[in-house]
């Protein structure tokens, strides 16, 4: 590698006498060859980040401080369409990467329809632009999940359209309750976005009874508003309210299949068990390097391995090796087509739904220890302060020397006393100390430029041997394990930024990971909320805080009761990250160029980037215009798949949380207020890590109103208040697995009268949400405090009354049902 020294580059800028220099002028001033262009630019960028230089448009640089709050302009990328100003997106829509302003006249686009329970929908269009709003009367025969062709026109709030025709049906199976009707059977779908009733065709499977939840194959999709959907029952689901039953309903609703199609399975079985010798021959040999994977103990795949060493003079050499999935998954193959549909792996508490068949994801492509594997590597030379001096991309053969865990690394580095000791980590303590030191320098660089350090807790479900939840804890709750995770994250971010910057400078289109600047109005609201808690944010000229200001705020509230509620509010105030070819940078990371490169086993965009990098390594000709056209719909599909995976993973957590809390009805638990709305307080418990809803009406003794900023409930009479971050003792009253709800009321303070409890009569069998809802004697603690002097007669009368009421209602419904059938 040719070494470019920062001092020499700085001297070249000083010699310009205040004039800006083009990148190639700097190269010439250093008497370096033209091939050193990228290395010189990398040093110039490091000087900009350090505040010693300023970058100007046109690839020019000069001495001096950068302007305050100014973000570096993203490099030009070939535009896919005419350059027009894009409209503001409709509320609820998503501003996609690569979007352009709609033409004055209408245009035809393809996309995927997402319906709402209120009858209107949004189409995620293939052009990567803002979602297209579709009014209820303009949906036609399309259903939620369908791929449709739409007629799009601009509107004041974004884009609106109507469905012209259905291109592909998205929902092929449904789940719902089997009911008996006059002429046979029907299904009431569990997804409220689908028709309210589906006719059943054919015979029922043996043992299937009305009232059960079933899975059915759609045999006829409606062709109009008066045409009924028809389906054939395949089988009954596990009991309502069980984890398996509820999760299967979620998967069916989202159109996710765990099983791979036969052609994909057949193609996967054709792969060898080990890497072929001829695949290793043409690759640079990295097997002498002590490359190691570092993952959670329950990791199901291993994408990345890292290694580093100290160089004479104080610098470092770092190798980030990533599994070369692109060698096996070729464009257009059966596995590739299925990977596009899946988009990413989905991780559930008890298993993973992989993007790639297990023959690849768990074996041949995974960087398992002590076996030869193929990798795409980023080989980097860093200065002593972490600045990038040089780098290269390598098609490598490697052998992971050890499978380390975050806990083992934390224990070896002295960050944790509770984690299990890992002999492999202890043997590599010098390597881990080098990684730790580099990580600290890389993280400090990001902090200086204003990267946001979101550290919001994520739940992790602990299961017993039968798959039942026994606890929900904070993932990376051990501070030492969290630090070990951050070390690995720093090296992944380094590789992602290097690849993104390289492709951007070459003018080669790619799939960037994009995060736009937040909306000014939302930021103004958040700033007002923060100021209400004594955290002032100075908004800039564009009414937006800089990333550095927000990063300072997050650092200020770290470890305080405000960390979680304000962190969540800030996160919700920001745009959603997307994939696209139009590089607008990554606001949260304060990065001009960023993409996903390091997880091709579990994310399709990473696999796409690998193919582009491989072409760069091999110096293959790339048709930029054609590549850009191909990447736009891939980015749209990847974003859609990512949102679907997040939805499934969150619901899986919510289901297991509710199942866990069914046995804790009547208990008093400690937590904090993490969310407030007019009718509900949201309380996050300390242990277990679950969220409880407390209806405001259950806070007795006063009428509570939300303050102007929506961060505090204040009693009209007593002025008693509940604010974000306040401690809160809650009594668990009700749990519904089907609704994913845990409901409670305030627990009485010591010596204070207990808040009135709302008693619930037993619900008739078969009604939704019947499971887990307590009757009058559900709380053990409450029953102990009930009056011992109450007469047996009044007790029996009360019990009889509460039990007769639902019985009479049930009889009335039955009579009405029989009358309708006649």
């Amino acid at each position: 590698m040719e070494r470019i020294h920062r001092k020499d580059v700085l001297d070249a800028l000083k010699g310009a006498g205040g004039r800006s220099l083009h990148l190639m002028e700097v190269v010439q001033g250093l008497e370096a060859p033209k091939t050193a262009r990228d290395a010189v630019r990398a040093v110039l960028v490091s000087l900009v980040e350090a505040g010693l230089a300023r970058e100007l448009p046109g690839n020019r640089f000069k001495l001096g401080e950068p302007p305050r709050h100014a973000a570096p302009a993203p490099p030009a990328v070939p535009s896919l369409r005419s350059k027009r100003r894009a409209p503001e997106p409709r509320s609820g829509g998503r501003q996609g990467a690569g979007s352009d302003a709609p033409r004055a006249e209408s245009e035809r686009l393809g996309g995927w329809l997402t319906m709402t329970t209120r009858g209107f929908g949004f189409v995620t269009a293939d052009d990567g632009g803002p979602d297209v709003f579709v009014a209820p009367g303009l949906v036609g025969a399309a259903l939620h999940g369908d791929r449709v062709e739409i007629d799009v026109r601009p509107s004041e709030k974004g884009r609106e359209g109507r469905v012209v025709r259905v291109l592909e049906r998205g929902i092929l199976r449904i789940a719902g309750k089997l009911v008996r009707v006059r002429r046979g059977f029907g299904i009431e779908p569990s997804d409220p976005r689908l028709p309210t009733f589906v006719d059943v065709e054919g015979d029922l499977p043996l043992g299937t009874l009305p009232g059960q939840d079933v899975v059915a194959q759609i045999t006829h999709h409606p062709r109009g508003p008066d045409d009924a959907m028809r389906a054939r029952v395949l089988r009954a689901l596990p009991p309502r309210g069980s984890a398996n039953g509820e999760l299967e309903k979620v998967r069916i609703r989202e159109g996710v299949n765990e099983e791979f199609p036969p052609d994909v399975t057949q193609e996967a079985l054709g792969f060898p068990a080990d890497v072929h010798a001829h695949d290793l021959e043409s690759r640079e040999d990295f097997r002498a390097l002590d490359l190691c994977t570092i993952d959670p103990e329950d990791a199901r795949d291993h994408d990345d391995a890292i290694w580093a060493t100290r160089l004479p003079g104080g610098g470092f050499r770092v190798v980030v090796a990533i599994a070369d999935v692109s060698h096996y998954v070729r464009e257009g193959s059966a596995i590739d087509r299925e990977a596009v549909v899946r988009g990413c792996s989905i991780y559930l508490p008890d298993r993973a739904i992989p993007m790639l068949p297990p023959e690849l994801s768990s074996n041949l492509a995974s960087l398992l220890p002590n076996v030869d594997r193929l990798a795409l590597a980023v080989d980097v030379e860093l200065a002593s302060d972490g600045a990038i001096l040089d780098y290269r991309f390598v098609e490598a053969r490697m052998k992971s020397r050890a499978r380390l865990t975050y806990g083992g690394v934390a224990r070896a580095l002295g960050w944790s006393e509770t984690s299990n000791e890992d002999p492999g980590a202890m043997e590599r303590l010098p390597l881990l100390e080098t990684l730790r030191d580099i990580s600290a320098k890389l993280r400090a660089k990001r902090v200086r430029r204003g990267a946001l350090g979101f550290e919001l807790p994520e739940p992790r479900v602990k299961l017993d041997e039968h798959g039942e939840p026994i606890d929900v804890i904070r993932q990376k709750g051990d501070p030492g394990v969290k630090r070990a995770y951050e070390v690995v994250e720093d090296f992944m971010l380094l590789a992602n930024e290097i690849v993104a910057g390289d492709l951007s400078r070459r003018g080669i289109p790619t799939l960037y990971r994009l995060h736009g600047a937040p909306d000014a109005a939302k930021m103004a609201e958040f700033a007002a909320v923060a100021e209400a808690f004594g955290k002032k944010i100075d908004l800039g000229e564009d009414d937006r805080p800089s990333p550095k200001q927000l990063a300072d705020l997050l650092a200020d509230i770290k470890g305080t009761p405000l960390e979680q509620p304000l962190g969540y509010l800030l996160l919700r105030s920001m745009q959603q990250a997307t994939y696209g070819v139009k590089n607008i940078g990554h606001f949260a990371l304060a990065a001009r160029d960023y993409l996903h490169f390091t997880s091709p086993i579990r994310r399709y965009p990473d696999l796409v980037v690998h193919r582009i990098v491989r072409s760069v390594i091999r110096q293959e000709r790339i048709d930029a215009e054609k590549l850009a056209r191909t990447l736009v719909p891939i980015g749209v599909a990847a974003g859609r798949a990512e949102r679907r995976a997040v939805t499934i993973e969150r619901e899986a957590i919510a289901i297991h949380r509710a199942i866990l809390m069914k046995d804790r009805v009547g208990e008093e638990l400690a937590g904090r207020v993490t969310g407030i709305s007019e009718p509900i307080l949201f309380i996050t418990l300390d242990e277990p890590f679950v969220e409880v809803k407390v209806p405001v009406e259950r806070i007795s003794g006063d009428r509570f109103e939300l303050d102007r900023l929506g961060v505090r409930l204040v009693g009209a009479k007593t002025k008693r208040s509940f604010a974000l971050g306040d401690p809160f003792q809650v009594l668990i009253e009700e749990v519904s697995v089907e609704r994913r709800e845990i409901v409670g009321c305030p627990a009485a303070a010591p010596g204070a009268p207990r808040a009135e409890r709302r008693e619930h009569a037993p619900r008739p069998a078969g009604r939704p949400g019947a499971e887990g809802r307590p009757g009058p004697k559900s709380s053990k603690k409450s029953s102990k405090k009930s009056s011992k002097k109450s007469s047996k007669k009044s007790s029996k009368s009360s019990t009889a009354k509460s039990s007769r009421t639902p019985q009479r209602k049930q009889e009335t419904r039955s009579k009405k049902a029989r009358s309708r059938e006649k």
Side-chain angles (χ1 to χ4, degrees):
M1 294 185 183
E2 183 168 0
R3 182 71 176 267
I4 303 296
H5 295 278
R6 295 180 71 186
K7 183 180 180 302
D8 295 338
V9 175
L10 197 58
D11 289 341
L13 294 178
K14 290 177 180 178
R19 182 176 64 88
S20 66
L21 295 178
H22 188 273
L23 170 62
M24 292 311 297
E25 289 182 279
V26 179
V27 173
Q28 293 170 4
L30 297 174
E31 297 183 354
K34 293 182 179 180
T35 54
R37 178 181 185 274
D38 289 341
V40 173
R41 177 170 171 71
V43 174
L44 285 165
V45 169
S46 73
L47 293 173
V48 172
E49 292 174 348
L52 300 175
R54 178 179 173 187
E55 184 173 359
L56 302 175
N59 223 5
R60 305 186 71 86
F61 297 80
K62 66 179 296 185
L63 287 176
E65 291 285 334
R68 189 177 181 185
H69 304 327
V77 175
S79 177
L80 301 180
R81 298 162 66 96
S82 59
K83 295 182 180 178
R84 296 174 181 160
R85 183 178 177 82
E88 290 295 320
R90 172 178 294 276
S91 176
R94 291 178 291 274
Q95 181 69 36
S99 62
D100 304 283
R103 305 184 183 113
E105 70 278 3
S106 64
E107 60 179 331
R108 291 284 176 91
L109 292 172
W112 294 93
L113 174 65
T114 299
M115 292 299 297
T116 68
T117 56
R118 291 184 285 174
F120 60 85
F122 291 93
V123 173
T124 305
D126 293 342
D127 67 347
D131 284 358
V132 181
F133 172 76
V134 182
L138 302 178
V139 176
L143 299 171
H144 169 72
D146 286 349
R147 179 166 176 77
V148 296
E149 184 179 39
I150 49 174
D151 203 353
V152 183
R153 63 184 182 280
S155 70
E156 293 180 359
K157 296 183 178 180
R159 302 196 292 183
E160 296 184 0
R162 66 179 181 89
V163 175
V164 177
R165 63 190 177 108
V166 177
L167 301 174
E168 179 185 343
R169 290 295 184 179
I171 303 297
L172 303 179
R173 295 186 302 162
I174 60 169
K177 180 182 176 182
L178 181 68
V179 296
R180 187 184 294 277
V181 293
R182 183 174 54 183
R183 296 183 179 179
F185 297 93
I187 298 173
E188 296 174 351
S190 58
D191 188 346
R193 298 167 297 184
L194 294 177
T196 56
F197 190 83
V198 177
D199 289 330
V200 170
E201 290 185 335
D203 297 329
L204 297 179
L206 188 64
T208 307
L209 301 173
Q212 289 182 311
D213 285 336
V214 297
V215 181
Q217 183 78 31
I218 298 176
T219 56
H220 175 76
H221 288 85
R223 297 190 178 94
D226 299 325
D227 193 11
M229 180 186 286
R230 298 192 294 273
R232 176 173 56 86
V233 176
L234 300 176
R235 56 186 170 82
L237 283 169
R240 190 173 303 138
S242 66
N244 288 336
E246 295 301 318
L247 279 172
E248 188 156 3
K249 281 192 281 188
V250 172
R251 286 196 300 101
I252 292 170
R253 184 194 72 201
E254 299 298 329
V256 171
N257 290 318
E258 288 201 52
E259 301 79 16
F260 285 93
D263 59 339
V264 174
T265 301
Q266 189 65 32
E267 192 173 284
L269 291 174
F271 288 118
D274 298 307
V275 179
H276 275 311
H278 63 78
D279 289 332
L280 300 170
E281 292 173 356
S282 60
R283 292 176 173 252
E284 188 169 339
D285 197 344
F286 278 7
R287 289 179 295 184
L289 303 181
D290 194 16
L291 284 158
C292 303
T293 62
I294 306 176
D295 293 296
E297 292 183 2
D298 57 353
R300 294 159 173 123
D301 49 54
H302 305 279
D303 290 285
D304 54 86
I306 52 179
W307 169 83
T309 188
R310 302 178 191 272
L311 298 175
F316 305 92
R317 181 189 174 195
V318 174
V319 173
V320 179
I322 309 299
D324 190 1
V325 178
S326 62
H327 177 82
Y328 301 105
V329 182
R330 300 304 172 96
E331 290 183 78
S333 64
I335 293 177
D336 183 57
R337 291 194 301 270
E338 181 66 12
V340 172
V341 172
R342 297 192 174 215
C344 59
S345 297
I346 301 172
Y347 296 95
L348 306 177
D350 61 338
R351 65 192 184 279
I353 303 175
M355 181 182 76
L356 301 175
E359 288 80 4
L360 284 176
S361 60
S362 300
N363 184 35
L364 189 58
S366 187
L367 303 183
L368 301 174
N370 301 315
V371 291
D372 287 343
R373 286 292 181 262
L374 306 182
L376 277 185
V378 181
D379 191 354
V380 192
E381 184 180 351
L382 300 176
S384 58
D385 62 353
I388 300 169
L389 298 178
D390 203 356
Y391 65 86
R392 63 192 183 113
F393 304 140
V394 183
E395 287 185 279
R397 47 178 166 172
M398 61 159 287
K399 181 181 291 187
S400 172
R401 297 301 187 89
R403 175 186 170 183
L404 308 183
T405 64
Y406 292 131
V409 170
R411 184 69 178 267
L413 289 172
W415 292 339
S416 173
E417 295 296 330
T418 59
S419 299
N420 295 327
E421 189 170 305
D422 185 344
M426 294 301 297
E427 292 172 6
R428 291 167 175 79
L429 186 55
L431 169 63
L432 297 180
E433 290 173 338
T434 301
L435 295 176
R436 175 200 61 196
D437 294 346
I438 299 172
S439 166
K441 298 175 187 300
L442 296 174
R443 188 163 290 263
K445 277 181 58 184
R446 289 205 310 278
V447 169
R448 284 196 298 271
R449 75 188 189 197
L452 303 186
F454 283 107
E455 296 182 2
L456 299 176
E458 296 180 2
R460 180 188 174 199
V461 177
K462 297 180 71 174
L463 305 173
D464 63 15
E465 64 273 15
H466 305 294
E468 293 296 317
I470 56 175
D471 200 1
V472 180
I473 61 175
R474 286 168 170 79
Q475 197 162 355
K476 301 188 294 289
D478 184 326
V481 172
K482 184 177 179 181
R483 289 182 67 182
Y485 174 87
E486 290 173 345
V487 167
V488 177
E489 180 185 43
D490 290 332
F491 287 96
M492 299 304 107
L493 293 175
L494 173 68
N496 288 338
E497 288 191 48
I498 286 175
V499 174
D502 183 88
L503 296 180
S504 174
R505 289 189 290 274
R506 293 175 188 269
I508 298 175
T510 189
L511 270 185
Y512 292 99
R513 181 63 168 177
L514 306 171
H515 189 233
D519 177 74
K522 290 183 178 180
M523 278 291 101
E525 291 177 9
F526 175 77
V529 171
E531 188 169 357
F533 289 97
K535 309 298 179 183
K536 185 170 178 58
I537 302 175
D538 294 322
L539 300 179
E541 295 179 358
D542 58 354
D543 291 330
R544 293 187 180 96
S546 68
K548 185 68 168 66
Q549 287 177 291
L550 296 179
D552 290 344
L553 170 68
L554 291 174
D556 186 34
I557 63 176
K558 183 177 179 180
T560 72
L562 292 176
E563 180 177 15
Q564 184 173 336
L566 280 188
Y568 279 131
L569 284 176
L570 176 57
L571 196 60
R572 285 197 291 266
S573 300
M574 294 195 165
Q575 290 194 37
Q576 187 176 35
T578 59
Y579 293 104
V581 299
K582 187 176 181 180
N583 187 10
I584 62 171
H586 198 292
F587 180 85
L589 291 173
R592 181 182 52 193
D593 308 302
Y594 190 72
L595 50 66
H596 281 162
F597 170 78
T598 54
S599 297
I601 289 178
R602 60 185 180 91
R603 287 189 306 229
Y604 193 76
D606 303 56
L607 174 56
V608 171
V609 172
H610 271 232
R611 289 169 177 158
I612 297 171
V613 170
R614 185 178 59 196
S615 294
V616 169
I617 294 172
R618 297 179 180 181
Q619 299 182 341
E620 296 173 344
R621 182 182 177 277
I622 296 176
D623 186 331
E625 186 176 350
K626 180 181 178 181
L627 177 60
R629 286 197 305 268
T630 303
L631 292 176
V632 171
I634 291 176
V636 172
R640 179 172 174 268
E642 179 185 48
R643 292 188 293 273
R644 177 182 63 189
V646 169
T647 297
I648 295 173
E649 290 170 357
R650 285 179 178 169
E651 282 212 50
I653 295 290
I655 289 168
H656 283 84
R657 278 173 157 173
I659 291 174
L660 174 71
M661 296 303 291
K662 283 179 67 175
D663 294 332
R664 306 195 70 168
V665 170
E667 291 189 23
E668 294 182 6
L669 299 166
R672 288 191 179 274
V673 179
T674 51
I676 299 178
S677 67
E678 194 75 59
I680 295 174
L681 281 173
F682 296 90
I683 312 300
T684 299
L685 301 183
D686 299 332
E687 291 181 357
F689 183 39
V690 302
E691 184 179 76
V692 180
K693 295 181 179 179
V694 175
V696 175
E697 64 185 29
R698 298 296 296 123
I699 306 175
S700 62
D702 205 346
R703 178 173 57 84
F704 287 85
E705 296 179 348
L706 204 60
D707 72 346
R708 180 179 61 84
L709 295 175
V711 297
R712 184 179 282 103
L713 277 176
V714 181
K717 299 177 184 177
T718 63
K719 302 304 178 184
R720 181 187 179 194
S721 68
F722 299 94
L724 290 176
D726 281 355
F728 195 101
Q729 285 287 129
V730 62
L731 174 69
I732 307 300
E733 276 198 313
E734 174 188 354
V735 174
S736 172
V737 178
E738 286 188 271
R739 296 196 305 273
R740 328 290 194 240
E741 275 189 349
I742 304 162
V743 181
C745 70
R754 183 178 298 281
E756 286 185 24
R757 297 268 329 275
R758 188 173 42 178
E759 305 293 3
H760 302 285
R763 290 190 173 191
R767 281 189 62 183
E771 90 296 337
R773 181 181 284 274
K777 297 183 180 181
S778 62
S779 171
K780 295 179 181 179
K781 293 189 178 183
S782 179
S783 64
K784 287 180 181 180
K785 291 182 177 288
S786 63
S787 175
K788 295 181 180 179
K789 297 181 180 180
S790 61
S791 67
K792 294 181 179 179
K793 182 177 178 180
S794 62
S795 176
K796 291 179 180 178
S797 174
S798 174
T799 305
K801 183 179 179 180
S802 66
S803 62
R804 281 200 304 270
T805 302
Q807 183 178 355
R808 287 174 180 171
K809 290 181 179 179
Q810 179 65 41
E811 291 172 356
T812 303
R813 280 195 293 270
S814 300
K815 289 179 181 178
K816 289 181 179 180
R818 287 195 295 270
S819 175
R820 284 196 299 269
E821 289 181 6
K822 291 178 181 179

